[in-house]
Amino acid sequence: MLVERTSVGLDVHARSVVAAAIDGVTGELVQARLTPSHDHIRSWITELNGPVAVTYEAGPTGFGLARFLTKSGIRCVVAAPSKLHRPAGDRVKTDAKDAVHLA
């Protein structure tokens, strides 16, 4: 059984990463704009209440981040964009909304 306190969604791009974290106990939402540096992303994640699970969409940035986070002991799942369900009528797409949706 997987039990993580905090769920993190990352909208990963080549030049920036938009992150959203939802604390499963308090319901608190934390959002941040990060650099694409794997060390910077990991340091932000380790500041959150753990244990933490991370999800981001597969894309042109590859799976390097997932491998790095997994190697660092952080559970990371790469989601296929075609498998993510979007609410009907939600036509406005922003990086922040994508990150919260993934979290």
Side-chain angles (χ1 to χ4, degrees), residues 4-27:
E4 282 84 14
R5 174 174 176 158
T6 305
S7 296
V8 175
L10 300 174
D11 193 29
V12 180
H13 299 281
R15 294 194 175 130
S16 68
V17 175
V18 177
I22 301 172
D23 188 313
V25 174
T26 65

Side-chain angles (χ1 to χ4, degrees), residues 66-79:
R67 288 187 195 100
F68 177 79
L69 293 175
T70 301
K71 194 172 170 183
S72 300
I74 300 168
R75 188 166 83 87
C76 183
V77 175
V78 180

Side-chain angles (χ1 to χ4, degrees), residues 16-102:
S16 68
V17 175
V18 177
I22 301 172
D23 188 313
V25 174
T26 65
E28 179 184 11
L29 172 65
V30 178
Q31 294 180 297
R33 183 170 293 276
L34 309 171
T35 65
S37 161
H38 293 175
D39 290 322
H40 184 212
I41 295 167
R42 180 185 57 197
S43 68
W44 182 79
I45 291 170
T46 56
E47 293 175 6
L48 302 170
N49 293 321
V52 176
V54 178
T55 303
Y56 71 93
E57 280 185 353
T61 57
F63 294 90
L65 177 59
R67 288 187 195 100
F68 177 79
L69 293 175
T70 301
K71 194 172 170 183
S72 300
I74 300 168
R75 188 166 83 87
C76 183
V77 175
V78 180
S82 62
K83 299 295 182 187
L84 297 173
H85 298 286
R86 305 272 181 206
D90 186 14
R91 296 175 192 267
V92 179
K93 183 182 179 319
T94 66
D95 294 344
K97 284 175 79 174
D98 286 348
V100 171
H101 180 71
L102 288 165

